[in-house]
Short mmCIF file of all heavy atoms in Angstrom, two decimals:
data_model
loop_
_atom_site.label_atom_id
_atom_site.label_comp_id
_atom_site.label_asym_id
_atom_site.label_seq_id
_atom_site.Cartn_x
_atom_site.Cartn_y
_atom_site.Cartn_z
N ILE A 208 -0.76 1.13 9.47
CA ILE A 208 -1.98 1.84 9.99
C ILE A 208 -2.43 1.05 11.19
O ILE A 208 -2.64 -0.20 11.17
CB ILE A 208 -3.07 1.82 8.83
CG1 ILE A 208 -2.53 2.54 7.63
CG2 ILE A 208 -4.38 2.40 9.34
CD1 ILE A 208 -3.51 2.53 6.47
N PRO A 209 -2.59 1.77 12.34
CA PRO A 209 -2.91 1.04 13.59
C PRO A 209 -4.31 0.50 13.56
O PRO A 209 -4.59 -0.60 14.24
CB PRO A 209 -2.78 2.13 14.60
CG PRO A 209 -2.78 3.45 13.95
CD PRO A 209 -2.38 3.20 12.51
N SER A 210 -5.34 0.99 12.99
CA SER A 210 -6.76 0.55 13.10
C SER A 210 -6.99 -0.25 11.76
O SER A 210 -6.89 0.18 10.67
CB SER A 210 -7.66 1.80 13.15
OG SER A 210 -8.96 1.45 12.84
N TYR A 211 -7.77 -1.35 12.06
CA TYR A 211 -8.17 -2.23 10.95
C TYR A 211 -9.17 -1.46 10.02
O TYR A 211 -9.15 -1.54 8.85
CB TYR A 211 -8.73 -3.56 11.38
CG TYR A 211 -9.17 -4.34 10.27
CD1 TYR A 211 -8.42 -4.98 9.40
CD2 TYR A 211 -10.60 -4.53 10.00
CE1 TYR A 211 -8.76 -5.82 8.30
CE2 TYR A 211 -11.11 -5.29 8.87
CZ TYR A 211 -10.15 -5.88 8.01
OH TYR A 211 -10.63 -6.61 7.09
N PHE A 212 -10.00 -0.73 10.70
CA PHE A 212 -11.07 0.06 9.90
C PHE A 212 -10.51 1.14 9.09
O PHE A 212 -10.85 1.24 7.94
CB PHE A 212 -12.08 0.57 10.94
CG PHE A 212 -12.85 -0.51 11.70
CD1 PHE A 212 -12.62 -0.67 12.94
CD2 PHE A 212 -13.75 -1.35 11.01
CE1 PHE A 212 -13.30 -1.72 13.70
CE2 PHE A 212 -14.36 -2.36 11.71
CZ PHE A 212 -14.14 -2.56 13.03
N ASP A 213 -9.46 1.81 9.54
CA ASP A 213 -8.75 2.70 8.76
C ASP A 213 -7.96 2.04 7.64
O ASP A 213 -7.90 2.55 6.51
CB ASP A 213 -7.75 3.58 9.62
CG ASP A 213 -8.41 4.54 10.51
OD1 ASP A 213 -9.61 4.88 10.20
OD2 ASP A 213 -7.88 4.94 11.53
N TYR A 214 -7.46 0.91 7.97
CA TYR A 214 -6.71 0.11 6.98
C TYR A 214 -7.68 -0.28 5.78
O TYR A 214 -7.27 -0.10 4.53
CB TYR A 214 -6.12 -1.15 7.56
CG TYR A 214 -5.78 -2.24 6.57
CD1 TYR A 214 -4.54 -2.24 5.97
CD2 TYR A 214 -6.71 -3.21 6.34
CE1 TYR A 214 -4.30 -3.20 4.96
CE2 TYR A 214 -6.42 -4.27 5.40
CZ TYR A 214 -5.17 -4.23 4.79
OH TYR A 214 -4.84 -5.20 3.80
N VAL A 215 -8.84 -0.67 6.06
CA VAL A 215 -9.79 -1.01 5.06
C VAL A 215 -10.11 0.22 4.22
O VAL A 215 -10.23 0.09 2.90
CB VAL A 215 -11.07 -1.69 5.63
CG1 VAL A 215 -12.14 -1.83 4.64
CG2 VAL A 215 -10.70 -3.03 6.25
N ARG A 216 -10.40 1.34 4.89
CA ARG A 216 -10.84 2.58 4.14
C ARG A 216 -9.55 2.98 3.18
O ARG A 216 -9.83 3.27 2.02
CB ARG A 216 -10.97 3.68 5.11
CG ARG A 216 -12.28 3.64 5.80
CD ARG A 216 -12.55 4.76 6.77
NE ARG A 216 -12.23 6.01 6.25
CZ ARG A 216 -11.71 7.08 6.90
NH1 ARG A 216 -11.49 6.86 8.17
NH2 ARG A 216 -11.54 8.19 6.29
N VAL A 217 -8.31 2.90 3.69
CA VAL A 217 -7.15 3.29 2.82
C VAL A 217 -6.99 2.28 1.74
O VAL A 217 -6.76 2.68 0.58
CB VAL A 217 -5.94 3.44 3.68
CG1 VAL A 217 -4.70 3.60 2.87
CG2 VAL A 217 -6.13 4.54 4.72
N ARG A 218 -7.07 0.96 2.05
CA ARG A 218 -6.93 -0.03 0.96
C ARG A 218 -7.93 0.14 -0.13
O ARG A 218 -7.64 0.14 -1.29
CB ARG A 218 -7.05 -1.40 1.67
CG ARG A 218 -6.81 -2.53 0.68
CD ARG A 218 -7.31 -3.91 1.19
NE ARG A 218 -8.80 -3.79 1.31
CZ ARG A 218 -9.50 -4.53 2.09
NH1 ARG A 218 -8.90 -5.54 2.79
NH2 ARG A 218 -10.81 -4.51 2.25
N ASN A 219 -9.18 0.33 0.29
CA ASN A 219 -10.24 0.56 -0.76
C ASN A 219 -10.03 1.77 -1.50
O ASN A 219 -10.26 1.88 -2.74
CB ASN A 219 -11.62 0.64 -0.12
CG ASN A 219 -12.00 -0.82 0.38
OD1 ASN A 219 -11.42 -1.85 0.09
ND2 ASN A 219 -12.99 -0.85 1.36
#
Side-chain angles (χ1 to χ4, degrees):
I208 300 175
S210 164
Y211 177 74
F212 298 108
D213 288 337
Y214 161 83
V215 170
R216 286 179 48 213
V217 172
R218 183 196 62 199
N219 292 343

